[in-house]
Amino acid sequence: MSDVKMVVNGRTVTGTVEDRTLLVHFLRENLGMTGTHVGCDTSQCGACVVHLDGKAVKSCSILAVQASGSEVVTIEGLASGADLHPVQAAFREHHGLQCGFCTPGMIMAATDMIARHPEGLDEKTVRAELEGNICRCTGYHNIVKAILAASEAMAKGAAKAA
């Protein structure tokens, strides 16, 4: 057993876990944060994507003890109160979801992608970077459309702020 301490969505959390406990299970079972989904447990589907120290990672491939001392942002930490994050709003507006199972991981991957490409994105880049996220419902068309719209809106917002 190991003690872990990390900042999750701006709040310091602690816990005692078995050394083999995956970050996704720590988030869901110990902290009750069920927005991060477990789809495959083999890092193939991307439903479990969170941000670890500012980078998108598949939380089913990281041990909770490895994340100790780090900052984690989950889908629950994106919105600001009742105001959706621009990527969440774009997914809603452009119907970038269907059953919703992959949506948290897609949104977390998209926010990371947009942060790494502040100049904007094109469809080819979005589709290439979503390769590690599987959706079995939508055919990706509306997901890509939502990410492109969010990227454009966020780039415009950054330009206004500058």
Side-chain angles (χ1 to χ4, degrees):
M1 300 292 274
S2 294
D3 292 328
V4 295
K5 181 179 179 180
M6 63 189 77
V7 176
V8 178
N9 299 332
R11 193 185 80 180
T12 301
V13 298
T14 60
T16 302
V17 297
E18 290 186 38
D19 293 338
R20 64 190 175 123
T21 301
L22 296 171
L23 178 58
V24 68
H25 295 303
F26 177 71
L27 294 169
R28 291 178 61 80
E29 296 164 15
N30 292 59
L31 303 181
M33 304 185 93
T34 57
T36 302
H37 293 162
V38 180
C40 66
D41 268 337
T42 59
S43 76
Q44 300 296 311
C45 75
C48 67
V49 173
V50 299
H51 294 177
L52 179 66
D53 293 329
K55 295 183 180 170
V57 299
K58 293 180 179 177
S59 61
C60 76
S61 65
I62 306 278
L63 297 171
V65 294
Q66 289 175 295
S68 191
S70 295
E71 184 173 338
V72 178
V73 178
T74 69
I75 190 71
E76 291 94 341
L78 278 188
S80 178
D83 296 328
L84 293 177
H85 183 279
V87 176
Q88 291 172 309
F91 265 67
R92 182 178 65 186
E93 182 181 337
H94 296 280
H95 198 63
L97 56 98
Q98 202 156 26
C99 82
F101 192 81
C102 72
T103 304
M106 289 283 188
I107 288 173
M108 296 307 290
T111 57
D112 176 70
M113 185 188 319
I114 292 167
R116 288 183 291 105
H117 299 279
E119 71 287 351
L121 289 163
D122 58 49
E123 183 175 343
K124 182 179 177 183
T125 302
V126 171
R127 288 186 180 276
E129 293 211 15
L130 283 180
E131 189 174 320
N133 292 74
I134 296 173
C135 175
R136 295 180 181 198
C137 299
T138 69
Y140 298 89
H141 179 72
N142 288 345
I143 292 170
V144 172
K145 194 162 94 175
I147 294 169
L148 291 172
S151 174
E152 185 177 320
M154 291 171 75
K156 284 180 183 174
K160 281 184 182 177

